[in-house]
Amino acid sequence: MKPIIAGTTLALSIILAGAANSKSLVYCSEASPEGFDPARYTSGSTFDASSKTVYNRLVEYKRGSTEIVPALAERWEISDDGKTYTFHLRSGVHFQSNEDFKPTRDLTADDVVFSFERQSGKADFAAYANGASWSYYNDVGLAQSVESIAKVDDLTVRFTLRKPNAPFLGLLALDFASILSKEYADKLVTDNRIDDLNQKPIGTGPFQFVAYQQDAAIRYQAFGDYWGGKQPIDDLVFAITTDASTRIQRLKAGECQIAVYPVPSDIPALKEDSSLKVLQRPGLNVGYLAFNTTQKPFDDARVRRAITQAINKQAILDAVYQGAGVEAKSVLPPDMMGYNSALKTVQYDPNAARSTISQLGLTGQQVTLWAMPVSRPYNPNGRRTAELLQADLQNIGLSAQIVSFEWGEYLKRSSDPKHDGSVLAGWTADNGDPDSFLTPLLSCASVGGNNKAGWCNKDFDALLDKARSETNEAARAKLYQQAQQKAADETPWIPLANGVITVATSANVIGYQIEPSDAHRFDGVDIAE
């Protein structure tokens, strides 16, 4: 891999060197990936840079929707009892290569079994893990749901579940379920270079990884042997640009053709610029403040409710979202199946909150607020949101210190059940199923993963477990409504806002779509000559 000089335009010019006669697209992304093995992580920025470019899954979501379509599996059958899923793989699916690895065979069932079994925690796969915690696999409950994964023949794989699981097919379309090359992984273990599985990815996807300069740029090339056909773009570059205003400046200067998450106050002017296109859609997302319910003073539900009473959500919407969001009332976004529109929630009442804090002897108590270092539709400005929360807490007698970290470190530390504060975070649906919110964010199994509140409630878990096994959608919805009320009563975190997704592109970009999951996909995207 050739080194890339960190920096702005210079880094891009070097990473595109030698591509003068090819069609290139530069995407101004908002954060660096944590790595390139999607099963290890939960961040959308990491998925965009790995699973959405380099890899495929058995099934995937149709571009621009949550409809499940065939991918590496061209067809599948589900048993009458809902516990057996049999997938028939495409033949002739090629893996990519790099300077250290040339595949000797096409995709087989061995690769599928390996890609899932390595996340199971079984001792036989310890050599491939290299310290990975497989958070997503565990957070969505697959460790408890899957009884076995078996190779039937070279192009057939069978999953057997312990009991029916309504969201299961959708889970297999998620990023953690990307299919890796077992042959490549075996070679890396033999060569004592297993780290390369996370640094030099090899997949079957539309783009092939070329090089990465940390915090500066990532380069990909269209994979000529991609089973779905070569992409219109020859060279794809992620120009990592953490500042929202700088992303738009680079877009206007022609340094990139797609830029995500502009500052909300800039959106009206962008819509007036004829050289740009502004795409928007409501996001299946929620921005929230999670209390660490295992640590004082947040282990007391009375404290959590008092702080919830103290937060002026409308002031946050006005100052931070500026028309690009609405007040969140539940852990689920309002457009999702099972949303509880009759939810009984804690109402804004700072006087009552101040009284409670005083009665509990907590006036003057110091607490920590974690401010997100990246912009997202569910929270366009984590620092500004934290400052407004800080003022609200001061108003009821609590002294809040704001802290933050680099994005990867922020995610890692906030997943630690012993973290010391209340964490600004958010979630965007990977599919349209409510289980993709409630289970990874608030179940007991996800403590130490995406459950940043460390909240474990057996009654809540029982509702989710029953809903996953229920095939009647109306009955499932009712169970999820009950689960939302349980969370609202216990207040492990405060839902703040549901944000609108905004992406700006050059006028000549063709075929780019905003995904409901807020993923950024470049298969099928082109640039007009």
Side-chain angles (χ1 to χ4, degrees):
M1 289 169 43
K2 295 180 179 179
I4 305 160
I5 298 175
T8 55
T9 307
L10 183 57
L12 288 180
S13 65
I14 291 177
I15 202 168
L16 287 170
N21 297 320
S22 61
K23 186 178 289 188
S24 300
L25 184 145
V26 180
Y27 162 58
C28 276
S29 64
E30 82 290 0
S32 300
E34 300 152 278
F36 294 90
D37 181 351
R40 292 173 173 264
Y41 307 108
T42 62
S43 166
S45 304
T46 298
F47 295 156
D48 292 341
S50 58
S51 44
K52 296 296 190 291
T53 49
V54 177
Y55 294 105
N56 289 118
R57 288 139 299 282
L58 290 173
V59 294
E60 296 181 356
Y61 293 107
K62 183 178 180 181
R63 290 181 67 229
S65 80
T66 57
E67 177 187 348
I68 296 173
V69 296
L72 294 180
E74 58 185 359
R75 58 187 175 87
W76 56 89
E77 296 101 29
I78 305 172
S79 63
D80 291 341
D81 64 4
K83 295 195 292 186
T84 303
Y85 289 68
T86 304
F87 294 90
H88 303 275
L89 307 181
R90 296 180 187 275
S91 62
V93 173
H94 300 304
F95 279 102
Q96 301 150 5
S97 63
N98 60 28
E99 66 272 23
D100 299 316
F101 172 74
K102 309 297 178 188
T104 65
R105 61 169 177 78
D106 293 338
L107 171 80
T108 72
D110 292 321
D111 302 301
V112 177
V113 173
F114 163 74
S115 296
F116 286 95
E117 288 279 53
R118 74 188 182 114
Q119 301 180 61
S120 67
K122 295 178 181 178
D124 292 349
F125 296 87
Y128 304 98
N130 197 28
S133 61
W134 314 123
S135 177
Y136 221 128
Y137 181 90
N138 291 299
D139 287 358
V140 298
L142 285 193
Q144 294 77 35
S145 299
V146 177
E147 182 174 287
S148 65
I149 307 170
K151 172 184 175 180
V152 178
D153 57 45
D154 277 352
L155 293 177
T156 310
V157 179
R158 180 166 296 141
F159 289 74
T160 302
L161 308 182
R162 292 185 174 89
K163 56 185 175 181
N165 186 326
F168 180 71
L169 192 63
L171 294 178
L172 297 189
L174 302 186
D175 304 82
F176 77 92
S178 295
I179 305 304
L180 280 64
S181 164
K182 183 178 187 298
E183 183 184 19
Y184 180 47
D186 287 344
K187 183 179 188 304
L188 293 177
V189 168
T190 300
D191 295 346
N192 197 29
R193 293 190 297 110
I194 193 60
D195 280 352
D196 281 359
L197 204 63
N198 193 31
Q199 297 171 3
K200 299 180 180 180
I202 293 287
T204 61
F207 293 96
Q208 181 167 322
F209 175 84
V210 176
Y212 173 44
Q213 173 64 41
Q214 187 168 351
D215 301 329
I218 316 168
R219 179 182 170 186
Y220 308 86
Q221 290 178 340
F223 180 35
D225 289 329
Y226 177 50
W227 61 269
K230 183 186 175 299
Q231 297 304 302
I233 298 299
D234 298 305
D235 288 273
L236 172 65
V237 175
F238 281 33
I240 299 163
T241 313
T242 57
D243 180 73
S245 296
T246 304
R247 289 196 294 272
I248 296 304
Q249 291 169 10
R250 299 181 81 170
L251 176 67
K252 290 181 176 180
E255 294 180 10
C256 60
Q257 288 76 46
I258 300 177
V260 291
Y261 317 143
V263 176
S265 60
D266 290 343
I267 294 174
L270 294 176
K271 290 180 177 180
E272 298 296 322
D273 190 332
S274 61
S275 68
L276 304 176
K277 291 189 288 190
V278 177
L279 310 177
Q280 291 184 298
R281 73 178 293 170
L284 290 174
N285 61 40
V286 63
Y288 61 88
L289 178 71
F291 303 110
N292 188 341
T293 61
T294 70
Q295 303 293 316
K296 293 184 179 300
F298 306 125
D299 59 341
D300 188 334
R302 295 172 297 175
V303 175
R304 302 196 297 268
R305 292 192 196 99
I307 293 177
T308 304
Q309 288 179 310
I311 303 308
N312 188 340
K313 293 185 185 181
Q314 189 58 53
I316 294 173
L317 285 169
D318 292 343
V320 177
Y321 295 81
Q322 300 183 40
V326 297
E327 179 184 345
K329 298 181 179 179
S330 172
V331 296
L332 288 185
D335 292 334
M336 184 166 281
M337 183 270 285
Y339 176 76
N340 190 344
S341 59
L343 197 67
K344 299 176 182 177
T345 60
V346 177
Q347 299 300 302
Y348 178 57
D349 190 344
N351 291 330
R354 190 181 307 110
S355 177
T356 298
I357 294 300
S358 176
Q359 290 172 13
L360 293 174
L362 294 175
T363 301
Q365 172 80 38
Q366 290 192 338
V367 296
T368 305
L369 277 172
W370 290 35
M372 287 174 53
V374 299
S375 57
R376 287 285 189 273
Y378 55 69
N379 192 335
N381 189 328
R383 183 76 190 189
R384 181 62 180 138
T385 301
E387 290 169 350
L388 293 167
L389 292 171
Q390 182 184 48
D392 286 339
L393 294 184
Q394 184 176 1
N395 185 42
I396 64 168
L398 296 177
S399 177
Q401 177 189 13
I402 298 174
V403 300
S404 192
F405 308 92
E406 178 272 330
W407 185 225
E409 188 68 15
Y410 187 94
L411 293 170
K412 180 180 178 180
R413 292 191 182 207
S414 62
S415 294
D416 185 342
K418 296 180 181 179
H419 75 75
D420 66 350
S422 48
V423 176
L424 280 170
W427 192 256
T428 301
D430 295 297
N431 56 41
D433 196 285
D435 191 75
S436 71
F437 265 78
L438 299 175
T439 292
L441 294 180
L442 287 170
S443 69
C444 294
S446 63
V447 173
N450 284 303
N451 186 343
K452 300 182 188 303
W455 184 64
C456 178
N457 184 288
K458 298 298 184 182
D459 293 337
F460 179 86
D461 269 23
L463 289 168
L464 299 188
D465 189 57
K466 188 175 181 180
R468 277 192 295 272
S469 301
E470 177 59 66
T471 56
N472 180 279
E473 187 169 291
R476 286 189 78 209
K478 185 175 181 180
L479 290 165
Y480 288 129
Q481 288 166 1
Q482 294 174 29
Q484 290 165 76
Q485 188 61 63
K486 175 66 68 174
D489 292 342
E490 291 292 318
T491 326
W493 40 269
I494 306 173
L496 295 174
N498 308 115
V500 174
I501 305 170
T502 303
V503 179
T505 77
S506 299
N508 62 345
V509 172
I510 300 170
Y512 180 84
Q513 300 181 56
I514 294 181
E515 301 296 321
S517 65
D518 195 23
H520 303 289
R521 293 178 56 172
F522 302 97
D523 51 313
V525 177
D526 199 357
I527 298 178
E529 298 292 344

